[in-house]
Amino acid sequence: MDIRQATIDDLIGMQNANLLNLPENYTFKYFHVHSLPADYPREDEPSPNTEPSGHVTSISVLRPYRRLGLANKLMKQSQEAMVAHYNASHITLHVRKSNRAAISLYRDTLGFEVHAMEKAYYADGEDAYGMRYLFKKPG
Ligand code: ACO
């Protein structure tokens, strides 16, 4: 199955998939700001001393397409892009403590480490695992 780069026309479909699959949802402004080119000035511009890093808000795959390797493939492609375009040193993300599929995807398949347990991170009071993936720097 091929994966192509998202365009602005995909935003409604992406938001619908998110609404179907996850309790946390995001406005169009959120998706738009996060799809701007790397050199576009942002409100949340990191300080110059901060190493560039990636953050995965969420991946969601519609039920009929699960367990086909899509999330794994999508994450690997975005990991490559984070290094190639942003020279990212690491990626961070949060996963619900009860989300066995996502924990297995990130920890067991993709090699993320759990570095923190964040109590009542989600609006409904569920705890989150803070996960991190460190890119190996050449040399
Ligand atoms: N149970 C256990 N492990 C699973 C499951 C599952 N139901 N689904 C995926 N995995 C793990 C397995 O290790 C799997 O490898 P394997 O198939 O060789 O055993 C590995 O993840 C890769 O599986 P993919 O087929 O690439 O995963 P898929 O495309 O089905 O997507 C996802 C996984 C995104 C978690 C999907 O189940 C989903 O959309 N869930 C609802 C939304 C969600 O919870 N997203 C995560 C939010 S948190 C975040 O992204 C930071």
Side-chain angles (χ1 to χ4, degrees):
M1 219 177 285
D2 286 336
I3 293 179
R4 63 167 171 78
Q5 190 159 8
T7 71
I8 204 85
D9 297 329
D10 294 312
L11 283 185
I12 290 179
M14 285 162 61
Q15 198 178 41
N16 283 341
N18 203 72
L19 279 165
L20 273 173
N21 287 332
L22 287 161
E24 295 78 36
N25 287 290
Y26 307 95
T27 61
F28 281 126
K29 184 176 176 219
Y30 181 91
F31 284 118
H32 181 60
V33 167
H34 287 74
S35 61
L36 293 173
D39 55 358
Y40 191 92
R42 294 161 192 250
E43 288 166 25
D44 60 349
E45 194 74 53
S47 81
N49 294 330
T50 310
E51 275 195 316
S53 64
H55 182 78
V56 177
T57 304
S58 58
I59 291 186
S60 76
V61 175
L62 293 176
R63 278 189 192 281
Y65 303 97
R66 289 188 190 164
R67 291 315 276 265
L68 298 173
L70 273 174
N72 184 15
K73 200 170 172 185
L74 189 59
M75 267 306 299
K76 285 192 173 138
Q77 289 192 6
S78 56
Q79 283 171 283
E80 282 168 22
M82 283 180 205
V83 172
H85 300 297
Y86 298 90
N87 194 25
S89 61
H90 64 282
I91 310 175
T92 56
L93 56 81
H94 291 96
V95 179
R96 282 179 180 270
K97 202 176 157 185
S98 64
N99 194 341
R100 286 195 309 134
I103 292 167
S104 175
L105 167 71
Y106 290 116
R107 187 193 56 199
D108 306 332
T109 302
L110 292 165
F112 279 65
E113 55 165 2
V114 175
H115 72 93
M117 160 69 85
E118 301 198 23
K119 283 272 170 209
Y121 176 84
Y122 294 98
D124 61 7
E126 184 167 350
D127 301 342
Y129 289 124
M131 292 196 177
R132 189 166 54 192
Y133 180 89
L134 303 178
F135 289 110
K136 289 185 189 75
K137 294 282 179 191

